[in-house]
Structure formats: C-alpha cells, structure tokens
Amino acid sequence: MEKRDYHITAETGIHARPATLLVQTASKFSSDINLEYQGKSVNLKSIMGVMSLGAGQGSDVTISADGSDEKEAIEAIEETIKNEGMAE
C-alpha cells in the first residue's frame, strides 16, 4: 500500500474542477484508491464521494492506493495535485 499526506493550499479546496481531475486520474488505475479527511474515507474514483468530504483550504488529507499499480497511481495523482496547485 502506498500512502501520501497533503495539506490543501488551494483557495477553493477540493471543489468541482480539481475533484473531477483527481477522479479522472484515479480512474485510469486498477488499484483501490481512497481519499481520507477527518476520519472519513471515500473512493477517489467517485466524484460524489470526493465532493461529499468538503475538504477546503487548510485541510489535511491522505491519499492511499492498494493494488498492482499503486505506485504509479500515487505518482500520477501527486502530479495532478501539484500541476493544479491544490496542495503541498
């Protein structure tokens, strides 16, 4: 299992556009990928799940991947997060 922690710095947090980009990136992989925030964990391949967390600016989130392509999945998601300036 691969796991990474992020501090959301984007002014709007993980709102519609960044959430869509994360879901699209996660959906390219076969691994189970989850987003955790305040004790809740949702499937990162589900736009409704990601939006339901309401992770705003200043939030600390954890993204984990478990499966055959977990390392590639985490790296691709991290690249999306950095390219969009969502977190550090």
Side-chain angles (χ1 to χ4, degrees):
M1 177 181 276
E2 291 281 322
K3 210 176 225 189
R4 302 257 171 98
D5 296 321
Y6 299 96
H7 181 74
I8 304 303
T9 56
E11 201 173 295
T12 53
I14 302 179
H15 66 95
R17 184 173 174 279
T20 301
L21 292 171
L22 288 175
V23 169
Q24 287 173 343
T25 302
S27 295
K28 295 176 185 174
F29 299 93
S30 62
S31 295
D32 291 327
I33 305 170
N34 291 302
L35 173 65
E36 297 170 40
Y37 173 59
Q38 290 186 335
K40 292 184 201 157
S41 180
V42 298
N43 183 343
L44 191 55
K45 297 177 185 179
S46 163
I47 187 70
M48 294 307 291
V50 174
M51 294 297 291
S52 73
L53 290 180
Q57 185 178 31
S59 301
D60 290 309
V61 300
T62 301
I63 295 176
S64 59
D66 191 16
S68 60
D69 55 2
E70 61 192 31
K71 191 167 182 60
E72 295 87 352
I74 287 288
E75 287 171 2
I77 290 164
E78 182 162 303
E79 188 174 323
T80 300
I81 287 171
K82 290 193 171 162
N83 288 346
E84 292 300 313
M86 285 185 246
E88 52 186 38

